[in-house]
Amino acid sequence: ENLEQSEYGCDKPWLETIWAYFVDGTLHADKWGARKIKTQDVQYITVDGEIYKWKFSEPFMMCVEGEKARKVMEEVHSGSCRNHSGGRSLAIKIERHSHYWPTMIGYCEKFAQKNVKSAKDMRQQSATREDSFVHLISIPFCWGQNRSWQN
């Protein structure tokens, strides 16, 4: 499981530096890293101990990393949303569900490519079941004889 997680890149922590800056005012020793955190600071807000990304005229997006990010990808890709889409559209749908991490598109593309085979297998299985069902009910029902519904 951890191997798959590292393949998608979900395990790379990125919230630690932002959280440290919010709580303690701690910055990187590196000049450019510190400048980056100061610049990004205006894009984030904390609510009840959670970090959210703030966008103009859009709802706050919950910042996730690690296992949470993986669960969000799985849920949108094949869970209750039953999306089975490609990487970019998966990332857009995750954003619509108000979740965010900076490298979302790249990780979603890796995740979707890895799971394409399972989605194709599922489609083939459902197609064979539907085909057999259609053959059973495709017996003619005398369509031309009773057209009382058409005037």
Side-chain angles (χ1 to χ4, degrees), residues 117-131:
K117 185 180 179 208
S118 63
K120 283 183 181 177
D121 290 343
M122 287 176 55
R123 276 188 241 136
Q124 281 181 335
Q125 288 173 357
S126 66
T128 55
R129 276 188 259 132
E130 288 172 6
D131 289 344

Side-chain angles (χ1 to χ4, degrees), residues 7-72:
E7 285 179 30
Y8 306 134
C10 299
D11 60 339
K12 296 179 183 174
W14 64 276
L15 288 171
E16 291 173 1
T17 54
I18 296 169
W19 188 252
Y21 183 65
F22 279 149
V23 174
D24 305 328
T26 307
L27 289 171
H28 276 278
D30 174 30
K31 176 184 172 183
W32 295 108
R35 178 179 270 185
K36 183 179 178 182
I37 294 297
K38 284 183 178 180
T39 305
Q40 289 179 344
D41 176 42
V42 296
Q43 299 174 358
Y44 298 97
I45 188 169
T46 57
V47 178
D48 296 330
E50 295 283 338
I51 298 177
Y52 291 86
K53 184 172 173 93
W54 179 83
K55 282 189 162 185
F56 184 73
S57 75
E58 289 185 24
F60 294 150
M61 294 193 307
M62 180 184 275
C63 296
V64 293
E65 66 181 359
E67 189 61 30
K68 277 187 178 179
R70 182 181 164 86
K71 285 181 181 177
V72 168

Side-chain angles (χ1 to χ4, degrees), residues 82-142:
R82 300 203 190 271
N83 186 15
H84 296 297
S85 60
R88 286 188 163 281
S89 57
L90 179 62
I92 289 167
K93 290 190 184 202
I94 289 172
E95 276 191 2
R96 284 191 203 139
H97 287 275
S98 299
H99 289 86
Y100 174 79
W101 63 94
T103 52
M104 185 170 17
I105 293 174
Y107 297 157
C108 288
E109 286 176 350
K110 287 179 187 177
F111 184 84
Q113 284 176 348
K114 187 134 179 111
N115 292 302
V116 160
K117 185 180 179 208
S118 63
K120 283 183 181 177
D121 290 343
M122 287 176 55
R123 276 188 241 136
Q124 281 181 335
Q125 288 173 357
S126 66
T128 55
R129 276 188 259 132
E130 288 172 6
D131 289 344
S132 61
F133 182 69
V134 168
H135 289 300
L136 290 175
I137 64 166
S138 64
I139 301 169
F141 288 104
C142 303

